[in-house]
Amino acid sequence: MAVLRRLTQARRSTTERSALAGEAAAAAAEAALRAEPLAPLTTGTPEAGATGPGTATAAGTATEAPATGKPGKAPKAPTENHTPDRDDPRAAAFFDCDNTILRGAAIFYLGVGLYRHGFLTRRDIARFAWQQAMFRLHGTEDPDHISDARTTALGIVAGKRTADLEAICEEVFEQVVADKIWPGTRALVQMHLDAGQRVWLVTAAPLEVARIIARRLGMTGALGTVAEARDGHYTGRLVGDLLHGPAKAAAVRALARRERLDLDRCAAYSDSANDIPMLSLVGHPYVVNPDGALRRHARAQGWRVRDFRTGRKAARVGLPAAAALGVAAGATAAAVALRRRHVRG
């Protein structure tokens, strides 16, 4: 039966795998929401636009203090945003993660954590460091890098306990999130929470990672890539495919159906042209820190653009060759530092 199931999945079209990944992510998100029923909405938060420890967010879930970049001070949302309708039960907001909310890519931060726990080799982490450096330089996702990361991740977790990976994710992302969040995007998240709307993280990162980031930001929940598990151990396969590109749109559509959302009244935020299918679903699409292809598409469609990065003009008209050399040197230094740490340990 296991062989037949693998063959059947291999024969599925890309569209079918995307749809399956989307349905799996939506089902997992809804199950998590039902496992932790929404608490009554409280008022009188410690500071306008901020959520205090142990209070309920506008989304209705009890959370920790959100990561804002500067403790005790919530950043202001950019001007000229649409104003979310308050307490609209059929409206929600969907946020991409990498380079939209989080500086860099979540899966590469996870890779560092896996290395520290002996799941990855020095060669693996050197490759991850290079991919992360190129992502930071270009601000866009490389499909080959994503596929490589997926293959590596599935190979190393096959047979491992799900509880072990969850513990590593907790350790890595509780430390990473506070320092890597774009304050401007964090303010946009809070804008929707303050309006009483549900707010969802939508990412190709593993669901275990996505839930931690979403919880740390006070979001309603997360849609992430679902890895197949049996009896508390990973099988080394995905349910469908990575939650990437069309699969994200499938997940948002599936969740909207389950939660009775009106997508015309919803908002979505992303940095990548890969997420045009998701952005096109909603009535209020935003592009945040966009790559070149998405910026052009946004201009053609009249979508709102928010860029929280600095030095964009310098990056465009500067010396790309010198920048590339700097990135290469940084990646090499990271790999050498990790190797020395390993030797000393």
Side-chain angles (χ1 to χ4, degrees):
M1 285 298 293
V3 174
L4 178 60
R5 185 167 55 250
R6 284 197 295 272
L7 288 173
T8 302
Q9 179 155 328
R11 289 172 181 169
R12 289 191 177 113
S13 68
T14 301
T15 301
E16 290 173 327
R17 291 198 302 273
S18 293
L20 181 58
E23 288 290 345
E30 190 178 45
L33 202 59
R34 289 183 176 180
E36 299 179 9
L38 295 181
L41 182 64
T42 63
T43 57
T45 52
E47 195 174 338
T51 307
T55 63
T57 67
T61 53
T63 67
E64 306 168 14
T68 61
K70 291 184 178 181
K73 184 177 181 181
K76 294 182 179 180
T79 57
E80 299 180 7
N81 297 301
H82 84 278
T83 303
D85 294 330
R86 289 198 60 83
D87 303 319
D88 184 350
R90 302 195 65 194
F94 300 93
F95 284 80
D96 169 54
C97 182
D98 297 348
N99 214 38
T100 302
I101 285 181
L102 196 68
R103 293 185 181 93
I107 196 168
F108 298 133
Y109 294 127
L110 177 59
V112 174
L114 291 172
Y115 170 81
R116 289 172 179 166
H117 286 268
F119 283 78
L120 292 175
T121 65
R122 292 194 300 274
R123 186 174 183 178
D124 291 328
I125 200 62
R127 184 170 71 251
F128 269 44
W130 172 256
Q131 292 170 350
Q132 170 72 351
M134 296 308 292
F135 181 82
R136 294 293 298 274
L137 175 63
H138 297 292
T140 187
E141 300 161 327
D142 186 319
D144 291 336
H145 289 175
I146 292 171
S147 177
D148 183 30
R150 173 185 59 185
T151 301
T152 299
L154 290 176
I156 63 176
V157 301
K160 300 293 193 303
R161 295 196 315 147
T162 57
D164 291 341
L165 182 62
E166 289 168 0
I168 292 173
C169 290
E170 286 276 0
E171 177 185 313
V172 172
F173 287 94
E174 287 296 345
Q175 297 172 2
V176 165
V177 169
D179 295 331
K180 301 297 182 182
I181 297 297
W182 292 106
T185 313
R186 176 68 189 90
L188 293 171
V189 169
Q190 194 64 45
M191 177 181 72
H192 287 279
L193 292 174
D194 288 344
Q197 292 188 355
R198 285 163 284 183
V199 181
W200 298 88
L201 185 69
V202 189
T203 175
L207 183 59
E208 295 82 356
V209 169
R211 283 175 173 168
I212 292 168
I213 296 174
R215 185 180 70 236
R216 190 69 178 83
L217 293 174
M219 292 175 153
T220 308
L223 298 162
T225 296
V226 180
E228 185 181 80
R230 291 181 181 278
D231 301 322
H233 293 76
Y234 292 107
T235 65
R237 295 186 295 273
L238 297 178
V239 179
D241 206 345
L242 280 177
L243 202 70
H244 186 256
K248 282 189 182 180
V252 168
R253 193 181 293 110
L255 187 67
R257 184 181 67 249
R258 291 167 178 269
E259 295 292 305
R260 299 182 180 179
L261 300 173
D262 180 351
L263 288 173
D264 286 339
R265 289 145 79 171
C266 293
Y269 300 78
S270 179
D271 71 296
S272 173
N274 294 315
D275 288 338
I276 287 174
M278 178 180 75
L279 294 168
S280 300
L281 286 178
V282 301
H284 301 285
Y286 282 82
V287 299
V288 178
N289 305 329
D291 59 34
L294 182 57
R295 185 179 290 274
R296 290 189 295 271
H297 186 87
R299 286 173 176 167
Q301 297 295 319
W303 291 352
R304 298 177 180 92
V305 178
R306 298 288 177 263
D307 202 322
F308 303 124
R309 296 167 294 189
T310 58
R312 281 193 53 80
K313 290 183 179 179
R316 276 202 301 268
V317 301
L319 299 174
L325 287 173
V327 168
T332 302
V336 170
L338 285 168
R339 183 173 183 178
R340 286 176 178 171
R341 184 182 303 169
H342 180 82
V343 171
R344 289 173 183 172

